[in-house]
Amino acid sequence: MLFLFRSRCHTATKSRPSAFFSTSAPPPSISDGMPVQFPMRNEEKRNLSLGGHVGFDSLPDQLVSKSVTQGFCFNILCVGETGIGKSTLMNTLFNTMFENEEASHYQNGVYLRPRTYDLQESNVHLKLTIVDTVGFGDQINKEESYKPIVDYIDTQFENYLQEELKIKRSLFNYHDTRIHICLYFISPTGHSLKSLDLVTMKKLDSKVNIIPIIAKADTISKSELHKFKIKIMSELVSNGVQIYQFPTDDEAVTEINSSMNAHLPFAVVGSVEEVKVGNKAVRARQYPWGVVQVENESHCDFVKLREMLIRVNMEDLREQTHARHYELYRRCKLEEMGFKDTDPDSQPFSLQETYEAKRKEFLGDLQRKEEEMRQLFVNKVKETEGELKEKERELHEKFEQLKRMHQEEKRKVEEKRRELEEEMNAFNRRKVAAETLSLSQPLKKDKDKKK
Amino acid sequence: MADVGKTPVARNEKTNSEFGYVGIDAILEQMRRKAMKQGFEFNIMVVGQSGLGKSTLMNTLFKSKVSRRSLMTTEEDRIPKTIEIKSISHDIEEKGVRMKLTVIDTPGFGDQINNENCWQPIMKFINAQYEQYLQEEINIERKKRIPDSRVHCCIYFIPPTGHCLRPIDIEFMRHLSKVVNIVPVIAKADTLTLEERDFFKQKIRVDLRANEIDVYPQKEFDEDAEDRIVNEKIREMIPFAVVGSDQEYQVNGKRLLGRKTRWGIVEVENTAHCEFAYLRDLLIRTHMQNIKDITSSIHYEMYRVRRLNENNTQPNGQTAIHANSVPEHEVLSHEM
């Protein structure tokens, strides 16, 4: 279904005239004759100081308590090669053993496996969805590896968009599955990013918030790590990959966020096993040469990741997903479908008008196709009927022929029988005649003999 | 290749106390910070005949001169010949919480000799606000935060006759309770004794029930048992008998808002005198967010459903509803 609308993706779309009640429009009148005045909406705003305690400072509390009853959704996408430590890191981050079997390395392609869990901490209910990329990086030909991931993200946006466009919708009960954060696991080679990493991240950076992390960081020494991080960041910048920047516009978190921005990518180690260090049991990995403690900031950046991801910026991640990535998707999708804000005559379109027109067209198409198919069906039926009739006729003919042959044969046989009967009769007569003759003859014969 | 069809399975709840603190509940603090930064909006409409104390009540509620009357310096105090709709916005702040408060006044309501269809212009205004929000929402390039001008709450002032609801009251509330949250109040309640007040309230509640008028808090939107208990208590008190005042007097050594008469001082915030405090608590301190939620998730959605269905059933060629003008009144008379 091609539309001839000019693509407006790239030109700056001016917003529609903002004055809602324009003074040039005539005041709307009601049929009973009582004219009504709609004045210009008074945009005067003043800053007032209150004479006493009014009480609306409880509004944030009211808002928060409503959110608590509703519950929260958070969706994490983990992209990384098989065996790089995605599941372990999730277990470590959320202090829970999410049920997981180890993935095999022999997948034909990449597929995404989402799993939803209900977590609760104090009075907060979190619906956490962890999406795993199974088989990523295992194939010999990895050209198409990024596609299932992009498709999955788009599908979640699409589902939300469909819900939003419905007539009877329930956005408040909707289980939001849009991916809020993509953790990209980088192999700890110590050199640089792999081309698969660059390609995948480039495809994902406009669709989702990306935080790159260096997995299994206990295989890299401190000095190598420092160089590795610098190399990675410079490669990302030079390839134009937009990773998620922790927001620095809110004074409460500006300091911590900007310092964390400098530590990207985070070098993490995950573990759910406990090891006794000193007199405490901490989560760590035990090696013959020492113990790597997960929550020790000098050993790895796990604490930083947890801080940023959960304790400081979770809400911002959700907001960015909705306000930036989803809006971008929505805009492109709607423009692709042919909707615009203004038509070539710069008269504002109603989305519903276009939608309605589109729908009619679509229904018309459907009807036409239905007609075609019906015609086809009718024709086919006629054909087959014709063939069948033909065959029937042939069979009849054959039958007739056989019948005639049979009749023929019967007649012949009858004739033969008659002939035979006649012969028999003739023979009998002769026999009788001969017998009577012989009866009278023997005297003669005897006489002859006696002679 | 992507196995996106796998439906996520919600597992059983797991508590996280085994290993230590994760920090999920920090999201509450994050939300609070975001809300404080963004600020809030609240749009309140007052409807009632002139002289019932609407402006004074608004000033009392928000403890500042928010009403239109306080801003009028040279305009004569006349009763307009037609219903006008005037809205004034204020930015107020309390303890770091910023709010854009819009008070929408309807001078002229109920003041004419013939008040037929007096509710229509108000209904039109409310629908126009929904329309504006809808148009913004279905834009392709839309703003990050759609400015919310929808009327969240409409306070309807009932004159203290002491008898029962008048036909104009019933007509108005019957039509408008379907599109907006209505909070009916008995104005100038200091003219009624306590017994008269109780009788009046009883009568009003009976009238409301008889005419199937659902005022805020609506029974059908109670979310759970807890909600219902709280809301039942409120429903027993509706309509609130209020007295407004923006003058302070000395009572028992304290400075209080009140009305001074020769037979005593009516204390506005004293619950034994009038129910202003309950109204304020309901509107501002406990249910403001709930009021906004009901407006956006129920009234607005109903309007949207109606509107989108209208478009679908319109045959080709009819006058379309243009995006940026007030909808033709044929649509409105297509009644709810």
Side-chain angles (χ1 to χ4, degrees):
Chain A
M1 243 181 267
L2 274 184
F3 293 97
L4 300 173
F5 302 130
R6 278 173 281 131
S7 153
R8 283 207 164 231
C9 245
H10 309 293
T11 58
T13 350
K14 285 226 159 85
S15 56
R16 294 178 283 106
S18 55
F20 190 81
F21 301 103
S22 61
T23 42
S24 52
S29 60
I30 306 180
S31 49
D32 63 6
M34 190 165 74
V36 162
Q37 290 268 27
F38 270 3
M40 275 282 274
R41 188 178 167 80
N42 197 332
E43 278 305 326
E44 290 176 59
K45 275 194 304 173
R46 322 135 190 281
N47 279 306
L48 281 190
S49 53
L50 302 173
H53 178 64
V54 177
F56 61 86
D57 56 342
S58 66
L59 258 182
D61 291 322
Q62 294 179 36
L63 183 64
V64 163
S65 88
K66 175 191 89 158
S67 304
V68 166
T69 23
Q70 268 184 345
F72 299 90
C73 269
F74 196 59
N75 309 316
I76 304 182
L77 169 68
C78 292
V79 180
E81 297 170 6
T82 314
I84 206 171
K86 305 188 284 288
S87 311
T88 315
L89 185 68
M90 286 297 112
N91 290 353
T92 325
L93 258 180
F94 290 100
N95 276 342
T96 323
M97 294 299 290
F98 299 119
E99 294 138 60
N100 268 315
E101 338 83 37
E102 281 183 12
S104 95
H105 284 260
Y106 299 102
Q107 301 287 343
N108 272 344
V110 179
Y111 76 94
L112 280 87
R113 187 175 55 186
R115 290 201 179 124
T116 307
Y117 306 95
D118 276 320
L119 302 178
Q120 184 185 3
E121 192 167 59
S122 55
N123 59 343
V124 177
H125 286 261
L126 181 71
K127 224 182 179 72
L128 177 73
T129 303
I130 299 182
V131 186
D132 214 351
T133 48
V134 179
F136 189 76
D138 277 336
Q139 294 78 37
I140 295 181
N141 180 359
K142 297 178 233 181
E143 270 178 9
E144 308 284 295
S145 289
Y146 70 86
K147 282 220 179 91
I149 306 177
V150 170
D151 286 342
Y152 181 83
I153 297 178
D154 278 345
T155 310
Q156 307 317 305
F157 283 149
E158 184 62 34
N159 291 344
Y160 190 87
L161 182 65
Q162 288 305 318
E163 184 64 31
E164 199 186 18
L165 287 181
K166 268 196 204 161
I167 292 190
K168 261 193 150 78
R169 60 189 189 180
S170 60
L171 278 179
F172 306 94
N173 293 335
Y174 180 73
H175 173 45
D176 190 2
T177 51
R178 299 174 293 182
I179 302 288
H180 298 125
I181 175 73
C182 168
L183 291 175
Y184 196 93
F185 288 70
I186 300 172
S187 289
T189 59
H191 299 316
S192 64
L193 284 175
K194 300 189 185 160
S195 47
L196 173 67
D197 295 339
L198 275 173
V199 163
T200 312
M201 278 203 268
K202 192 93 181 83
K203 291 276 179 205
L204 293 178
D205 70 351
S206 59
K207 294 196 176 283
V208 72
N209 302 315
I210 301 184
I211 294 184
I213 56 184
I214 301 173
K216 299 197 170 176
D218 50 349
T219 52
I220 316 186
S221 73
K222 227 186 173 87
S223 50
E224 282 174 357
L225 187 63
H226 187 61
K227 277 192 279 189
F228 192 30
K229 281 193 184 184
I230 295 180
K231 191 80 195 342
I232 292 178
M233 289 314 277
S234 71
E235 278 194 332
L236 288 177
V237 164
S238 60
N239 281 286
V241 174
Q242 307 260 27
I243 56 174
Y244 177 71
Q245 294 293 319
F246 303 118
T248 47
D249 48 1
D250 188 355
E251 324 97 32
V253 292
T254 242
E255 222 182 280
I256 187 172
N257 275 345
S258 42
S259 79
M260 291 297 182
N261 272 327
H263 280 104
L264 282 174
F266 294 129
V268 293
V269 174
S271 167
V272 286
E273 283 148 11
E274 293 197 330
V275 174
K276 212 163 165 60
V277 171
N279 53 357
K280 276 200 313 173
V282 293
R283 286 180 297 170
R285 285 174 68 75
Q286 172 123 60
Y287 291 107
W289 49 89
V291 177
V292 179
Q293 295 161 38
V294 165
E295 280 174 323
N296 186 332
E297 295 219 39
S298 60
H299 288 196
C300 72
D301 294 334
F302 172 80
V303 174
K304 297 195 176 73
L305 175 68
R306 183 180 58 194
E307 203 55 35
M308 287 291 100
L309 187 63
I310 303 179
R311 295 187 194 173
V312 178
N313 295 308
M314 199 191 248
E315 183 59 31
D316 184 69
L317 285 168
R318 280 151 41 106
E319 191 177 332
Q320 290 288 326
T321 307
H322 180 68
R324 205 149 56 93
H325 300 294
Y326 170 70
E327 284 297 312
L328 181 65
Y329 174 83
R330 178 179 175 273
R331 205 178 326 145
C332 290
K333 192 70 196 296
L334 289 182
E335 277 176 354
E336 192 185 290
M337 298 205 303
F339 296 115
K340 287 151 89 253
D341 275 340
T342 58
D343 74 8
D345 305 316
S346 76
Q347 276 284 91
F349 255 168
S350 158
L351 188 73
Q352 294 316 309
E353 277 174 26
T354 335
Y355 182 71
E356 198 31 39
K358 219 61 91 46
R359 195 160 145 262
K360 284 208 175 67
E361 206 179 311
F362 180 66
L363 286 177
D365 267 346
L366 274 182
Q367 254 180 318
R368 228 182 342 107
K369 282 216 175 94
E370 207 181 308
E371 267 311 306
E372 269 178 40
M373 289 193 67
R374 193 174 305 138
Q375 269 305 92
L376 207 70
F377 179 68
V378 164
N379 288 346
K380 261 247 146 91
V381 166
K382 274 209 187 101
E383 246 181 69
T384 324
E385 249 180 46
E387 275 176 32
L388 283 175
K389 276 212 173 80
E390 200 43 55
K391 289 251 163 69
E392 203 180 321
R393 207 169 37 81
E394 272 177 34
L395 275 175
H396 264 292
E397 260 185 43
K398 263 209 176 120
F399 182 63
E400 291 294 312
Q401 210 181 29
L402 278 173
K403 207 157 119 182
R404 264 180 282 130
M405 267 170 60
H406 177 76
Q407 298 268 34
E408 204 47 54
E409 288 286 333
K410 202 163 152 187
R411 199 173 44 82
K412 280 196 186 137
V413 168
E414 278 294 327
E415 247 184 62
K416 271 224 170 104
R417 194 166 76 132
R418 254 186 300 118
E419 273 178 24
L420 222 73
E421 264 192 39
E422 248 167 52
E423 262 189 53
M424 262 175 58
N425 285 344
F427 179 74
N428 275 342
R429 265 184 277 123
R430 267 192 289 142
K431 186 171 156 199
V432 165
E435 271 179 5
T436 48
L437 206 59
S438 71
L439 269 177
S440 59
Q441 274 300 340
L443 288 169
K444 262 199 182 155
K445 255 193 188 157
D446 278 341
K447 271 187 194 157
D448 278 339
K449 258 188 188 166
K450 275 185 185 162
K451 277 189 184 161
Chain B
M1 280 304 181
D3 191 9
V4 298
K6 259 219 177 100
T7 44
V9 174
R11 308 298 162 113
N12 295 324
E13 279 189 23
K14 298 171 194 267
T15 48
N16 294 315
S17 48
E18 307 133 30
F19 286 103
Y21 176 63
V22 176
I24 298 177
D25 53 0
I27 194 172
L28 297 182
E29 188 52 42
Q30 297 169 29
M31 279 198 88
R32 189 189 304 261
R33 256 201 341 258
K34 180 177 97 166
M36 303 267 285
K37 202 169 83 149
Q38 273 182 345
F40 296 88
E41 288 173 304
F42 193 61
N43 309 317
I44 187 168
M45 178 186 259
V46 281
V47 181
Q49 284 172 277
S50 68
L52 282 181
K54 306 192 289 289
S55 307
T56 318
L57 187 70
M58 283 298 109
N59 290 351
T60 324
L61 260 179
F62 292 101
K63 295 235 169 59
S64 54
K65 302 224 180 297
V66 294
S67 74
R68 183 187 51 96
R69 199 160 286 245
S70 334
L71 300 167
M72 288 192 318
T73 43
T74 55
E75 232 174 289
E76 331 128 24
D77 210 356
R78 85 247 184 300
I79 296 181
K81 291 218 171 58
T82 62
I83 299 180
E84 296 170 347
I85 305 208
K86 296 217 169 104
S87 67
I88 310 252
S89 296
H90 302 274
D91 277 325
I92 47 183
E93 193 210 308
E94 188 172 59
K95 297 212 176 110
V97 178
R98 287 175 300 119
M99 179 155 89
K100 176 170 171 229
L101 174 73
T102 306
V103 177
I104 303 158
D105 205 350
T106 54
F109 175 84
D111 288 334
Q112 278 74 41
I113 295 181
N114 182 359
N115 284 312
E116 245 174 45
N117 296 329
C118 56
W119 50 268
Q120 265 183 7
I122 298 177
M123 174 88 102
K124 212 163 182 166
F125 178 81
I126 293 179
N127 283 335
Q129 305 314 305
Y130 287 146
E131 182 64 30
Q132 188 178 31
Y133 193 88
L134 179 65
Q135 286 307 324
E136 191 57 47
E137 196 188 27
I138 64 181
N139 242 348
I140 293 187
E141 269 205 59
R142 47 190 192 183
K143 305 197 184 119
K144 216 168 186 184
R145 260 195 96 200
I146 304 178
D148 191 1
S149 62
R150 302 173 289 192
V151 178
H152 296 128
C153 176
C154 171
I155 304 193
Y156 186 75
F157 286 72
I158 302 172
T161 60
H163 298 165
C164 60
L165 285 177
R166 304 166 301 157
I168 187 179
D169 302 331
I170 295 181
E171 266 307 289
F172 180 85
M173 285 201 272
R174 198 160 58 84
H175 282 106
L176 258 72
S177 59
K178 300 193 181 102
V179 294
V180 73
N181 298 318
I182 295 198
V183 178
V185 297
I186 300 176
K188 300 202 165 172
D190 50 342
T191 56
L192 297 170
T193 66
L194 289 182
E195 294 83 25
E196 286 169 351
R197 184 200 292 180
D198 283 337
F199 174 76
F200 191 25
K201 279 208 214 181
Q202 187 80 326
K203 231 21 209 42
I204 291 178
R205 280 199 287 269
V206 165
D207 279 341
L208 288 178
R209 243 196 316 271
N211 286 285
E212 293 179 349
I213 300 175
D214 227 355
V215 297
Y216 183 82
Q218 294 94 335
K219 239 191 179 103
E220 44 179 338
F221 304 143
D222 282 342
E223 283 173 26
D224 49 28
E226 217 181 279
D227 243 13
R228 205 168 304 136
I229 298 176
V230 172
N231 288 345
E232 274 304 318
K233 285 213 196 82
I234 299 173
R235 284 190 274 263
E236 315 242 297
M237 286 201 276
I238 292 217
F240 295 110
V242 295
V243 175
S245 163
D246 41 14
Q247 287 185 323
E248 288 184 341
Y249 296 97
Q250 193 89 343
V251 175
N252 289 342
K254 288 193 292 185
R255 287 197 67 81
L256 295 173
L257 282 175
R259 280 175 66 76
K260 187 167 184 181
T261 62
R262 258 182 267 157
W263 45 92
I265 296 183
V266 183
E267 292 163 41
V268 164
E269 283 178 334
N270 187 337
T271 49
H273 290 199
C274 76
E275 294 174 334
F276 170 81
Y278 294 132
L279 176 70
R280 180 201 52 211
D281 286 347
L282 176 75
L283 273 189
I284 300 178
R285 293 188 188 174
T286 55
H287 282 68
M288 193 185 252
Q289 186 61 39
N290 183 247
I291 290 175
K292 288 172 64 170
D293 288 339
I294 295 196
T295 307
S296 72
S297 61
I298 297 177
H299 293 299
Y300 169 69
E301 289 295 316
M302 272 183 5
Y303 175 81
R304 183 176 173 275
V305 168
R306 238 180 5 240
R307 184 80 167 73
L308 297 184
N309 276 331
E310 266 165 25
N311 265 334
N312 284 348
T313 55
Q314 255 183 5
N316 249 342
Q318 253 204 8
T319 49
I321 297 177
H322 282 292
N324 69 342
S325 60
V326 178
E328 323 287 81
H329 75 268
E330 283 96 20
V331 173
L332 276 185
S333 54
H334 187 338
E335 268 194 21
M336 326 296 153

